[in-house]
């Protein structure tokens, strides 16, 4: 299969996205527009200047700019607009289901009410479902560089919006902030009926992935790259059918991998891990979900069958009902079969 037809194959295949920070979809043009209407200053003078700053040496380098960008979001309409822009994008990429993260503490710490944030995001997602049929779940992430007590406060606020939130997650600066720091808040979240996920093994060691599994009792591991350093962990992840939400362009831009040829995705698939492809923070890392599929398929010379496996994995690993998962997986199989005719 040549590269053009592989690109078409990826474009058309139905897929889900499971690792996407809504604040990471904030494109520079929209950032300037929203900053202007909110009378907020951005450190950079133009879109071009801002884009030039998107050169990261590591996760923290990126997070500094990402939090600064998110700082211009003030009103419900702002949260609606970034979510809508993301949906417009993925509606053209055959993403039929999305499970998005948001970071409430990034906003509540600046005095923005929790409801302003989640209502804006949720309204756009509902409108998007009506317009494009894209189903969705919302996951609220705790910022791991802050204290557990701050996460607990965010969880208490979230209880008023429980019907809108499927799961809690853990993101931000990984090294030095292990999952075990958040044992009690995750325990309480599970008691209240939330599912749990956590970023682990992005920059941090395999040990953090063990903690995500055993202490936070996650249903998915976000990233999980460093799991491959520990063969016992790999076997455990396989045994548990634990999904990994892998983000190739993010790994490249944050220097988690030297180049995409060295990316562990193919090894993950060959070992039988339930890996999925996602965009993480597409406005900062140079591509939405299809660009991630394209880049990694080209770098690792993935076959059509491997690409179809990744798309099926995205539904298997989702928080959809089993019946819906089966229907969506059938859609992938039907698509794959048709392209072979
Ligand atoms: N917040 C947004 N993107 C992130 C990432 N890749 N890792 C940790 N925290 C994040
Ligand atoms: Zn992430």
């Amino acid at each position: 299969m040549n590269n053009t037809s592989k690109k078409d194959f990826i474009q058309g295949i139905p897929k889900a996205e499971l690792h996407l920070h809504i604040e990471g979809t904030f494109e520079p043009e929209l950032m300037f527009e929203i900053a202007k209407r909110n009378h907020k200053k951005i450190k950079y003078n133009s879109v071009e200047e801002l884009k030039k700053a998107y050169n990261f040496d590591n996760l923290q380098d990126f997070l500094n700019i990402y939090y600064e960008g998110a700082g211009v979001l003030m009103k419900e309409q702002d949260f609606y607009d970034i979510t809508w822009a993301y949906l417009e994008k993925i509606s053209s990429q055959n993403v039929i289901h999305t499970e998005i993260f948001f970071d409430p503490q990034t906003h509540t710490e600046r005095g923005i009410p929790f409801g302003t944030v989640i209502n804006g995001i949720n309204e756009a997602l509902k409108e998007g479902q009506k317009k494009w049929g894209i189903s969705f779940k919302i996951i609220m992430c705790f910022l791991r560089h802050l204290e557990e007590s701050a996460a607990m406060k965010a969880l208490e606020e979230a209880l008023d919006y429980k019907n809108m939130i499927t799961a809690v997650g853990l993101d931000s600066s990984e090294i030095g902030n292990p999952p075990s720091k958040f044992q009690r808040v995750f325990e309480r979240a599970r008691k209240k009926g939330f599912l749990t996920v956590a970023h682990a093994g992005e920059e941090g060691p395999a040990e953090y992935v063990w903690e995500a599994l055993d202490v936070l009792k996650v249903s998915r591991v976000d990233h999980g790259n460093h799991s491959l350093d520990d063969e016992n962990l790999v076997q455990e992840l396989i045994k548990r059918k634990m999904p990994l939400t892998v983000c190739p362009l993010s790994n490249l831009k944050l220097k988690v991998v030297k180049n995409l040829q060295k990316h562990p995705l193919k090894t993950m698939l060959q070992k039988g891990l339930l890996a999925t492809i996602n965009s993480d923070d597409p406005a900062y890392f140079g591509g939405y979900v299809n660009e991630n599929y394209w880049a990694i398929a080209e770098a690792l010379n993935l076959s059509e069958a491997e690409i179809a496996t990744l798309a099926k994995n995205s539904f298997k690993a989702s928080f959809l009902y089993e019946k819906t998962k089966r229907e969506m997986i059938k859609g992938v199989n039907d698509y794959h079969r048709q392209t072979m005719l």
Side-chain angles (χ1 to χ4, degrees), residues 11-176:
Q11 166 60 32
I13 203 164
K15 57 188 82 68
E17 174 147 66
L18 306 177
H19 184 152
L20 180 280
H21 302 262
I22 199 63
E23 294 90 347
T25 67
F26 206 0
E27 293 287 351
E29 292 77 8
L30 185 58
M31 194 184 292
F32 272 87
E33 191 186 314
I34 291 182
K36 192 168 167 208
R37 75 187 188 208
N38 286 341
H39 310 289
K40 299 287 268 185
K41 267 205 97 52
I42 301 181
K43 233 171 60 185
Y44 305 90
N45 288 316
S46 65
V47 165
E48 292 67 39
E49 217 180 278
L50 175 61
K51 282 185 182 166
K52 271 202 202 119
Y54 292 0
N55 231 320
F56 315 111
D57 277 333
N58 52 42
L59 174 59
Q60 192 58 51
D61 236 22
F62 153 69
L63 289 171
N64 295 341
I65 288 193
Y66 161 88
Y67 291 130
E68 198 176 306
V72 307
L73 297 164
M74 306 293 288
K75 308 206 173 76
E76 187 172 318
Q77 187 67 45
D78 305 338
F79 292 94
Y80 184 99
D81 288 349
I82 53 165
T83 309
W84 189 254
Y86 165 66
L87 290 167
E88 278 188 318
K89 189 77 198 177
I90 63 166
S91 70
S92 71
Q93 297 205 339
N94 278 304
V95 175
I96 61 172
H97 176 70
T98 186
E99 301 189 355
I100 72 173
F101 298 129
F102 78 112
D103 291 335
Q105 291 160 283
T106 301
H107 313 297
T108 54
E109 292 242 316
R110 300 182 286 118
I112 314 294
F114 193 103
T116 298
V117 181
I118 194 154
N119 286 329
I121 296 169
N122 192 55
E123 281 306 307
L125 288 166
K126 282 199 302 190
E127 246 349 89
Q129 181 153 23
K130 269 193 230 154
K131 182 161 182 176
W132 294 295
I134 302 170
S135 56
F136 65 89
K137 305 278 179 195
I138 299 179
I139 302 169
M140 158 181 134
C141 282
F142 301 121
L143 298 180
R144 70 202 306 162
H145 66 275
L146 300 178
E147 291 309 308
E148 189 187 35
S149 55
M152 201 62 98
K153 189 161 160 262
L155 177 61
E156 294 310 315
E157 284 191 273
L159 295 179
D160 286 343
Y161 304 91
K162 173 89 204 1
N163 59 334
M164 297 183 197
I165 305 170
T166 301
V168 300
L170 188 64
D171 66 2
S172 194
S173 322
E174 186 179 10
I175 293 173

Side-chain angles (χ1 to χ4, degrees), residues 19 21 101 199 223 280-281:
H19 184 152
H21 302 262
F101 298 129
H199 283 55
H223 294 292
D280 205 4
D281 301 284

